[in-house]
Amino acid sequence: MGCDARAVAAAVRAAAAVVTAHRDELVRLDQAIGDGDHGENLKRGFGFVVQALDESTPDTPGAVLKLVATTLISKVGGAAGPLYGTAFLRAATAVGDATELTPELVAKALRAALEGVVARGKAEVGDKTMVDALAPAAEVGSLAAAATAAERGAESTIPLVARKGRASYLGERAIGHQDPGARSTALVLRAFAEAAS
Ligand code: ADP
Ligand code: MG
Ligand code: MG
């Protein structure tokens, strides 16, 4: 299928539905090593994104991604809102005003999203954050492979001590728990991959 603005908007709606369906799981993960709001933060944020898309679908993929970014940045607090917003904003810039996303543009957008999250949050792979899901995803060539890499990356956070974000206050007590932001990143990428297939 062509990956025009409508298709990207549909993929974003699919991601919103998946985040909503996994709200409680993400809350539980964040209760274990954070303050328990990650699932609700993302559910609310993507709810506002869907509202914005209901009002108007922008006419390029980049403009859709930018609408997602500005909505998440303005509506979602906490650490993840600005980080997710930055990821979508950099992805939007990376695809420019292309009317259809090619696999090359998707790969470029993923790399740009990672660079944005790292520039903003200063986390490296192994710090037990969403970077552990996004970094391996940005290294592969397709959305399907990115989703699988992100799922593995998210699972790789389970034995880690956190070095960024609230979970870093827990020291070794964070061991044994999957990072909620890494898990949500994997969920969003899987939703995108399935919508694009
Ligand atoms: P808060 O921690 O402010 O309550 P959320 O619960 O919504 O925000 O998001 C927590 C997630 O944010 C973590 O699971 C982690 O993946 C991510 N995170 C926190 N700090 C950073 C950072 N500096 N760089 C990358 N990701 C981060
Ligand atoms: Mg939280
Ligand atoms: Mg919070």
Side-chain angles (χ1 to χ4, degrees):
M1 115 185 151
C3 208
D4 60 4
R6 286 176 69 95
V8 175
V12 169
R13 288 176 185 277
V18 166
V19 163
T20 300
H22 288 264
R23 180 233 179 239
D24 292 355
E25 176 195 347
L26 294 170
V27 161
R28 278 196 297 278
L29 291 176
D30 199 33
Q31 276 168 347
I33 62 170
D35 58 358
D37 60 0
H38 188 62
E40 184 59 27
N41 289 347
L42 277 194
K43 183 189 160 190
R44 271 188 68 248
F46 275 94
F48 284 117
V49 167
V50 168
Q51 265 182 34
L53 289 173
D54 285 343
E55 280 160 27
S56 68
T57 296
D59 57 7
T60 62
V64 173
L65 295 171
K66 190 164 180 199
L67 180 64
V68 176
T70 54
T71 304
L72 293 179
I73 289 169
S74 65
K75 300 289 190 186
V76 185
L83 290 165
Y84 261 93
T86 301
F88 278 100
L89 198 56
R90 295 289 187 104
T93 305
V95 303
D97 53 14
T99 53
E100 298 240 341
L101 294 187
T102 59
E104 292 71 28
L105 279 174
V106 170
K108 188 181 172 197
L110 278 170
R111 289 194 299 270
L114 170 66
E115 282 167 21
V117 169
V118 169
R120 180 145 194 149
K122 313 278 184 255
E124 296 170 10
V125 170
D127 285 351
K128 199 176 180 106
T129 72
M130 61 175 69
V131 170
D132 290 346
L134 194 52
E139 278 172 22
V140 295
S142 73
L143 263 182
T148 301
E151 284 159 3
R152 292 211 184 99
E155 280 164 18
S156 80
T157 65
I158 294 171
L160 299 177
V161 167
R163 286 191 287 257
K164 287 282 185 289
R166 288 177 186 280
S168 65
Y169 310 149
L170 290 184
E172 303 211 329
R173 281 183 291 146
I175 291 173
H177 302 282
Q178 184 168 199
D179 178 66
R183 174 66 179 144
S184 64
T185 298
L187 287 170
V188 166
L189 286 174
R190 178 59 69 195
F192 285 171
E194 286 184 356
S197 68

